[in-house]
Amino acid sequence: MTAAHVELDAPPPLPATGLRITPMGGLGAIGRNMTLFEFGGRLLVVDCGVLFPDVDQPGVDLILPDFESILDRLDAVDAIVLTHGHEDHIGAVPYLLAHKPDIPLVGSQFTLALVEAKLAERRITPYSLTVREGQTERLGPFECEFFAVNHSIPDALAVAIKTPAGTVLHTGDFKMDQLPLDGRLTDLAGFARLGAEGVDLLLSDSTNAEIPGFVTPEREIGPVLDRIFAGATGRVIVASFASHVHRVQQVFDAARAHGRHVALIGRSMVRNMGIARDLGLLRIPGGLVVGMDEALNLPPERIVLMSTGSQGEPMSALGRMANGDHRHVTIAPGDTVVLASSLVPGNESAVYRVINRLSRAGAVVVHKDVAKVHVSGHSPAGELRYLLNVVKPRNFMPVHGEWRHLRAHAELGVESGVPREQVVLCEDGDVVDLVDGVARLVGHIRSRYVYVDGLAVGDVSESLLTERRILGDGGFIAATVVIDSVTGKVVGGPAISAKGFSEDPAAFDAVLPVITEALLRAAEEGVTDPHQLQQLVRRTVGRWVNEKYRRRPMIVPNVVEV
Amino acid sequence: MTAAHVELDAPPPLPATGLRITPMGGLGAIGRNMTLFEFGGRLLVVDCGVLFPDVDQPGVDLILPDFESILDRLDAVDAIVLTHGHEDHIGAVPYLLAHKPDIPLVGSQFTLALVEAKLAERRITPYSLTVREGQTERLGPFECEFFAVNHSIPDALAVAIKTPAGTVLHTGDFKMDQLPLDGRLTDLAGFARLGAEGVDLLLSDSTNAEIPGFVTPEREIGPVLDRIFAGATGRVIVASFASHVHRVQQVFDAARAHGRHVALIGRSMVRNMGIARDLGLLRIPGGLVVGMDEALNLPPERIVLMSTGSQGEPMSALGRMANGDHRHVTIAPGDTVVLASSLVPGNESAVYRVINRLSRAGAVVVHKDVAKVHVSGHSPAGELRYLLNVVKPRNFMPVHGEWRHLRAHAELGVESGVPREQVVLCEDGDVVDLVDGVARLVGHIRSRYVYVDGLAVGDVSESLLTERRILGDGGFIAATVVIDSVTGKVVGGPAISAKGFSEDPAAFDAVLPVITEALLRAAEEGVTDPHQLQQLVRRTVGRWVNEKYRRRPMIVPNVVEV
C-alpha cells in the first residue's frame, strides 16, 4: 500500500502470464462501478454503472465511465458480468452497448430483467446469459463462479474470476444480514471454500468500511412500520428506492396487517415491482394492490401510497406532493409520510426540503433520523473483517468507495493479516497487474468523468463546468460593441446585457461612459484588432465591477463587425 | 396549533395591553435568528444573526433578516439583547447598526467581546451593556432577567422578558450537559422558579427536537482525543468551530498530556481564543501555544495545529491543506486530522471532499462518523421535555428550527401538557400577540431573505437567483444582431457567443443560417421593432437547441442598433 497516492504514467505491456485489473469507475467516488479484467488479449467487464452528479457538476444528468480505452477492443470483450441491478452497477450498459450491442450480458435473473427493461426503452435486445449462485461459467479465458450475496436488492451475486494468473474474488456490493427476509444469505461458506483453494486477489465493497460494527437486520424495520401504521389515522405515504423489493414487501405486509390497500406511484416503482412479482421475489396478497383511481376513492385510513422520491428529487411523485403540484395527491393534516430509505450524501438539502414542505403542509414525517425505518445495504467494518478472515486473500484491493472508505478498508485488510505491501490502494484508471501471485500498481490510463447532458454524451468538459459554476455564482455581464470591419472604428454600442447580476435597470449607467472612453483611447492609439478590443472591454468592465461590487461575474465582451 | 400552515394578511393594531412577538428569522430555517418584541410602542430585539446560504442560493455570501418593518422605528428600539456569540445570533448586528449605531447591545461578556470585535472591523463602537446570569435589567418597558444556559460556546444566556402583558421566556440556544466543562449548568432551578411565578409564553430552541434522548457530555470527548493523540505518530491537525472554546480547551489538554505544542491557524480561531483567554474562559498552560514559525521547526510528533475549516470551506486553513495549497502545511503520510465538529446540513459534500483529499494525500482522518469527536450544542427531545415540564408555560412557541423541528417540538409541548390550541406554530414574519394570557397568531409581515453578495446588501432578488440557477445548469447562448436604427434592417450578425454550453467551435454553425432565414422572413413581413426581433431570435435559437440537444440554456438575444 502506498501511503500517499501517486500519479502514474501509462502501464507497461501486460506479461503473458499476468492478469490485468483496471478499475474504470467506483474508486474515489461512490458510483459508475466498472472493473476491467484482461488476460491473454481477452477482456471481461464487471459492472457498468452510472454516477449521479453532485452540486459541483451543475446541469449534468449522469456521469459514465470513460470507455475510450476499450472502444477499439470491444471485439475482445467476452462478457459484461453484472453483480446486481442498481443503477450504479448497470446504468451505463446502454451507453456501452450503443457501441456494440452484441456483447453478452451475464447476471442473475432479476438483474438481467432490470437491465433488459432499460435496454428495451432504447430498442436494444441484448444477448443475455442468466446465471445463479453456485454456477460456474467459462467466458473466454475467464472461468467465473457466482456466489449469493445479500444486499438492498434481491438476487445480487459476487463473482470469482479464475485464470491461469490466479483467482480473483470480486464481491460486488454486499452485506451480511444474518436474518435476510428471503433467507438468501451471503455465501460465507462458499467464500471460505474459495479461500481454502486460494484467492490471489480480493476486491471488496468499501462503502461502509469507516462504520464500526454490524448491520441491523432488514426485518427489524417491519415492527417499526407496524407501529407507524398502527398510529396513523389518515393516509400513509411511504417513499423508498424503487428496486428495494424487500423494503416494499415489508410495507405490503404492514398494509395488510392494518387493513390498508397499496397503490404504487412512480414509473420505476410500478415497473420494478411488476418484475419482482413475476419472478416470485415479491409476495402480493390478492386485492392488496389497487390502482391510483381506486385508491382515491378509499377512505384515508385504508390507503398506503408506495412512492419513489426518497432522495428529494423535485420531479418525483413525493417531490411533487411536497411542492403541492402532484396531480392526484394533496398533502394535508392527518397524512403520515415515511421515508424508508437512506440519505445519499449530497442529497441532504433536497431531502430535508421535502420533509420541511410536507411538515409545513401538516403531515407527520418519519425519516431515518427519528425512527429505524432504514438499514444500509453495505457491510460495515465488523462484517468486512469476517470476509477478509475467511477469504485470506494474498492481495487485497478495496473497491467501491471514496478515498476515506478505501483507506479505512485497507487498514481492515492489514489488521486481518494481509501484508501492507500486498494491499493495493488505487483509484479509477489505475492499472493493477497480478503476476506470479503478486498484485502491483503498474500504471494509469485516462479515466475522465464522461458527462451526459440532454442528448449529448461527453461534450460537457470540466472547463465547461467551471464556466457554469462561475455563471451560477455571479451571472454575467455582456458588453457589445459594433465596429466597422474595414476601418476598425466603433460604430455602435457599447450595449450591456446582463443576467444573474443585478435587477437595477440603471446598474450599468456608470460603466457605459467608462467603456466608451477606453475605446476612444484605444482608437487614438490606433488599436483596431477585434481581439484586442475584446480584451480591453473585458478588463474595463471587470475592474469596474470589482471596485464597485466586489463581485466576479463572467464578463463577456462581444465585438461585432459590420 | 394550526394543523397546516396558513398564509396570513397584515396584522391588526396591537391592543394597548398586549405584547407582540414577531420572529424575523430562525423559524423555517436554522439561522438568522431574530425576534422582535413590541409593547406600548417600544421595541426590543432578541438576537440579530445571519443565515448561511445553501446550494440553492448561489453566489450569496450571507442572508440577513429583513429589517424593513422596523427601519422607520429604530428610535423605538430600546436594546438588542444577544443570547450568545454565534454568527447565526450576532452576525447581522453590524448590518442593523449601520442604520443606527447607537442602539444599545446587551449580552454577556464573551458575547459582547465577539460582537465588538466584528464591529471594530467596520469602525463601529457600540453602546454595550454587559449582563450576567441572575441579573435583571429594565430596558424601556421590558424587564429582562438573564439565566445561564449551557451551549457550544461559553457564556450563553436565556432571557425572561416581563411586561404588564405577561412573562415570556426565550431560551436562546441551549442544551443541558449535566457535567459541563466550566461547571456552568443550564439554570433549570431558575427556570423552575420562573415557571412557578408564571410563564405566559415560552420560546424554546427546536434544533434537535426530532432527536430522541439526551446529549453526551462534552467532557467525554477528552478521552477520545486522548486516545487519538496517543496513537498519532506524526502531526495532529484538529479542526473545530472557532468559537467552541471548550472543544479547543480539550485539544489543549490532550496536547499537553502528550507533550505537544499547539499552533492556532485561521484568523477567527486566533482572535476568539485570545478573547477567551483574556476573559479567563480558556486555560492555556505556559509555553503550550506557539506561533506557526516555531511549530514548523518542531518535530511532527510534537505539533498540534488547531485550525478552522471544519465545514469544508475551501478557502479555510484546512480547506487549503486538503487542496495542497496551504502556505506552510503540506499533508503527508503520518498526519492525523481530526474534525472535532458537527456537520452542518448542506455542507456534507464539501466536508467529505476535504476528508477524501486529506485521505488521498495519506492522512488518517477522524471525524464524527467514525469516533465520538463531536457532541451537539442543542438539547434533544429528552431534555426539551425537562424544560417544558419545569417551566409549565401557558403558551408555547417553538423557535430556531426548520418546519420538521418546529412541528416535532410542538408535539413535545402538547405531550407535556400545553393545550394544543395554546401552541403557536409559526414561521418568519408571522405576528403573534400575547393578550390576556393567550398567544395568538394574528397576521404576517414581509420577511424576505435579504442577500449579501459582495458589497451589495439586498440587491440580489429571488428572480436573480433563478437566473443564476438557469445559467449554472445550462450556460447561455447569446445571439447578437446589428440593425440600422433608421430602417430597422439587419446590417450585421447574427453572431453567437456562448458560455457553459459547448466547447465545440462549430456547435453553432448550423443555427446561424436558421436565424438569418428567420430574420429575412421577418424583414419580408416588415417587422423592424427591436423587441419583436429579439423575441424572434430567442424563439429560433431556443427551438433549435431543444431539438438538437434537449437542453435549456439561457437564450440571450441582443439586437444592437447602429
Side-chain angles (χ1 to χ4, degrees), chain B residues 222-458:
Chain B
V224 179
L225 290 174
D226 201 73
R227 275 197 300 280
I228 295 168
F229 279 53
T233 54
R235 287 183 300 196
V236 176
I237 300 163
V238 185
S240 164
F241 280 114
S243 59
H244 203 321
V245 176
H246 296 156
R247 191 69 46 83
V248 175
Q249 181 73 64
Q250 299 200 91
V251 173
F252 282 10
D253 295 347
R256 186 159 75 144
H258 293 277
R260 290 174 182 259
H261 289 276
V262 180
L264 301 173
I265 313 189
R267 206 169 58 96
S268 53
M269 183 66 76
V270 172
R271 188 190 68 187
N272 292 357
M273 293 310 136
I275 293 171
R277 179 200 57 213
D278 294 346
L279 296 181
L281 298 168
L282 183 69
R283 297 180 319 274
I284 310 183
L288 182 80
V289 173
V290 298
M292 199 60 205
D293 289 348
E294 196 175 335
L296 292 172
N297 289 322
L298 290 169
E301 70 276 11
R302 299 211 45 212
I303 307 177
V304 175
L305 303 177
M306 182 73 231
S307 171
T308 54
S310 65
Q311 296 306 307
E313 307 91 325
M315 304 308 284
S316 66
L318 190 69
R320 288 180 183 281
M321 292 178 208
N323 291 335
D325 59 8
H326 191 273
R327 260 187 311 157
H328 300 303
V329 185
T330 304
I331 296 296
D335 287 340
T336 301
V337 180
V338 185
L339 273 71
S341 54
S342 67
L343 212 176
V344 175
N347 296 346
E348 294 85 356
S349 296
V351 170
Y352 288 127
R353 184 177 309 123
V354 163
I355 294 173
N356 283 322
R357 289 183 177 168
L358 295 167
S359 294
R360 189 175 186 277
V364 172
V365 187
V366 183
H367 54 101
K368 74 176 187 54
D369 293 356
V370 302
K372 194 77 189 173
V373 289
H374 173 71
V375 296
S376 171
H378 301 270
S379 278
E383 300 181 7
L384 294 175
R385 286 200 183 96
Y386 272 75
L387 186 84
L388 283 158
N389 285 333
V390 303
V391 173
K392 296 187 189 54
R394 295 203 183 87
N395 301 274
F396 171 47
M397 178 171 154
V399 295
H400 300 356
E402 303 167 8
W403 268 96
R404 60 196 177 106
H405 308 119
L406 300 177
R407 204 170 271 282
H409 203 179
E411 290 302 326
L412 297 178
V414 172
E415 281 170 23
S416 77
V418 184
R420 192 170 281 273
E421 63 277 12
Q422 308 290 94
V423 175
V424 186
L425 196 51
C426 61
E427 66 186 3
D428 294 344
D430 285 346
V431 177
V432 176
D433 283 356
L434 176 66
V435 180
D436 299 332
V438 178
R440 209 167 262 133
L441 191 53
V442 296
H444 185 86
I445 58 166
R446 195 158 79 151
S447 172
R448 295 163 308 178
Y449 278 1
V450 174
Y451 298 108
V452 178
D453 182 0
L455 295 180
V457 177

Side-chain angles (χ1 to χ4, degrees), chain A residues 50-387:
Chain A
V50 295
L51 172 65
F52 294 101
D54 83 0
V55 291
D56 266 7
Q57 290 141 343
V60 171
D61 299 325
L62 292 172
I63 302 169
L64 307 180
D66 187 349
F67 301 140
E68 192 185 83
S69 65
I70 57 167
L71 278 189
D72 60 352
R73 296 190 287 166
L74 291 182
D75 286 335
V77 178
D78 285 307
I80 302 171
V81 171
L82 302 170
T83 58
H84 62 281
H86 279 150
E87 284 298 308
D88 58 335
H89 291 255
I90 67 167
V93 167
Y95 296 91
L96 186 52
L97 290 199
H99 295 284
K100 189 169 191 293
D102 62 352
I103 304 173
L105 302 183
V106 180
S108 68
Q109 204 176 22
F110 188 56
T111 304
L112 290 180
L114 291 182
V115 79
E116 282 163 5
K118 284 180 81 68
L119 288 165
E121 290 170 8
R122 296 174 174 248
R123 297 165 204 279
I124 300 178
T125 308
Y127 289 74
S128 300
L129 171 64
T130 304
V131 291
R132 46 174 297 133
E133 50 265 35
Q135 193 169 334
T136 297
E137 283 293 332
R138 173 166 284 275
L139 305 164
F142 308 96
E143 191 183 302
C144 294
E145 181 179 355
F146 297 93
F147 296 84
V149 290
N150 172 248
H151 185 41
S152 46
I153 188 169
D155 225 7
L157 294 170
V159 57
I161 300 162
K162 299 173 193 174
T163 67
T167 296
V168 179
L169 173 60
H170 191 316
T171 64
D173 287 353
F174 76 102
K175 62 175 171 176
M176 295 205 263
D177 190 333
Q178 294 300 299
L179 292 166
L181 273 182
D182 59 0
R184 189 172 174 273
L185 288 154
T186 290
D187 186 7
L188 206 56
F191 292 150
R193 190 255 307 149
L194 195 75
E197 292 167 18
V199 170
D200 296 289
L201 176 63
L202 170 67
L203 278 61
S204 176
D205 174 12
S206 309
T207 309
N208 276 345
E210 286 190 308
I211 310 298
F214 297 81
V215 289
T216 304
E218 173 72 26
R219 70 175 64 211
E220 289 192 14
I221 291 173
V224 178
L225 290 175
D226 201 73
R227 274 197 302 280
I228 295 168
F229 279 55
T233 53
R235 285 185 300 199
V236 175
I237 300 164
V238 185
S240 165
F241 280 114
S243 59
H244 204 321
V245 176
H246 295 157
R247 192 69 46 84
V248 175
Q249 181 73 65
Q250 300 200 90
V251 173
F252 283 8
D253 295 348
R256 187 160 73 145
H258 294 277
R260 289 173 182 261
H261 288 276
V262 181
L264 300 173
I265 313 188
R267 204 170 59 97
S268 53
M269 182 66 75
V270 172
R271 187 190 67 188
N272 293 356
M273 293 310 135
I275 293 172
R277 179 201 56 212
D278 293 346
L279 297 180
L281 298 167
L282 183 68
R283 298 183 314 277
I284 310 183
L288 183 79
V289 172
V290 297
M292 198 61 205
D293 289 346
E294 196 175 338
L296 292 172
N297 289 323
L298 290 169
E301 69 277 11
R302 301 212 40 212
I303 308 176
V304 174
L305 304 176
M306 181 73 233
S307 171
T308 54
S310 66
Q311 297 305 307
E313 306 93 324
M315 304 308 285
S316 66
L318 190 68
R320 287 181 185 277
M321 291 178 209
N323 292 335
D325 58 10
H326 190 276
R327 260 187 312 159
H328 300 302
V329 185
T330 304
I331 296 295
D335 286 341
T336 300
V337 181
V338 185
L339 273 73
S341 56
S342 67
L343 209 174
V344 174
N347 296 347
E348 293 85 355
S349 296
V351 171
Y352 288 128
R353 184 176 310 122
V354 164
I355 295 174
N356 283 322
R357 288 181 179 169
L358 295 168
S359 294
R360 190 173 186 276
V364 172
V365 187
V366 182
H367 55 101
K368 74 177 187 55
D369 294 357
V370 301
K372 196 77 188 171
V373 288
H374 173 71
V375 297
S376 172
H378 302 270
S379 277
E383 299 180 9
L384 295 174
R385 286 199 184 94
Y386 271 75
L387 185 85

Side-chain angles (χ1 to χ4, degrees), chain A residues 3-5 7 54-56 58-59 210 333 346 348-349 352-353 355-356 359-363 367 370 402-404 407 427 453-456 459-461 463-464 467-468 471-476 480 482 491-492 497 499-503 547-551 554 556 558 560 562, chain B residues 3-5 7 54-56 58-59 210 333 346 348-349 352-353 355-356 359-363 367 370 402-404 407 427 453-456 459-461 463-464 467-468 471-476 480 482 491-492 497 499-503 547-551 554 556 558 560 562:
Chain A
H5 195 68
E7 310 292 343
D54 83 0
V55 291
D56 266 7
E210 286 190 308
E348 293 85 355
S349 296
Y352 288 128
R353 184 176 310 122
I355 295 174
N356 283 322
S359 294
R360 190 173 186 276
H367 55 101
V370 301
E402 302 167 10
W403 268 96
R404 60 194 177 106
R407 203 170 271 283
E427 66 185 5
D453 183 1
L455 295 180
D459 84 333
V460 170
S461 63
S463 65
L464 212 68
E467 289 182 357
R468 288 186 184 175
L471 288 169
D473 274 355
F476 73 85
T480 303
V482 185
V491 295
S497 143
K499 291 284 177 187
F501 182 78
S502 173
E503 286 197 306
E547 277 169 19
K548 174 145 188 218
Y549 290 91
R550 290 273 181 280
R551 291 196 209 161
M554 184 175 281
V556 187
N558 290 320
V560 183
V562 294
Chain B
H5 195 65
E7 311 290 343
D54 82 2
V55 292
D56 264 7
E210 286 189 308
E348 294 85 356
S349 296
Y352 288 127
R353 184 177 309 123
I355 294 173
N356 283 322
S359 294
R360 189 175 186 277
H367 54 101
V370 302
E402 303 167 8
W403 268 96
R404 60 196 177 106
R407 204 170 271 282
E427 66 186 3
D453 182 0
L455 295 180
D459 84 332
V460 170
S461 63
S463 65
L464 213 67
E467 289 182 359
R468 289 186 183 174
L471 288 168
D473 274 356
F476 72 86
T480 303
V482 185
V491 295
S497 144
K499 292 284 177 185
F501 182 77
S502 173
E503 286 198 304
E547 277 168 18
K548 176 147 187 215
Y549 290 91
R550 289 275 180 278
R551 292 196 208 160
M554 186 176 279
V556 186
N558 290 319
V560 183
V562 294

Side-chain angles (χ1 to χ4, degrees), chain B residues 109-167:
Chain B
Q109 205 177 22
F110 188 57
T111 304
L112 290 180
L114 292 181
V115 77
E116 281 163 6
K118 286 180 80 69
L119 288 166
E121 291 171 6
R122 296 176 173 244
R123 299 167 202 276
I124 298 177
T125 309
Y127 288 76
S128 301
L129 171 63
T130 305
V131 292
R132 44 173 297 130
E133 51 265 36
Q135 194 170 332
T136 297
E137 284 291 332
R138 174 167 283 276
L139 305 163
F142 307 96
E143 191 181 301
C144 294
E145 182 179 356
F146 297 93
F147 297 84
V149 291
N150 173 246
H151 186 41
S152 47
I153 187 169
D155 225 8
L157 294 170
V159 57
I161 300 163
K162 299 173 193 175
T163 66
T167 296

Side-chain angles (χ1 to χ4, degrees), chain B residues 482-491 528-530 560-562:
Chain B
V482 185
I483 61 169
D484 186 298
S485 60
V486 179
T487 65
K489 273 196 184 148
V490 175
V491 295
T528 58
D529 173 52
V560 183
E561 299 178 62
V562 294

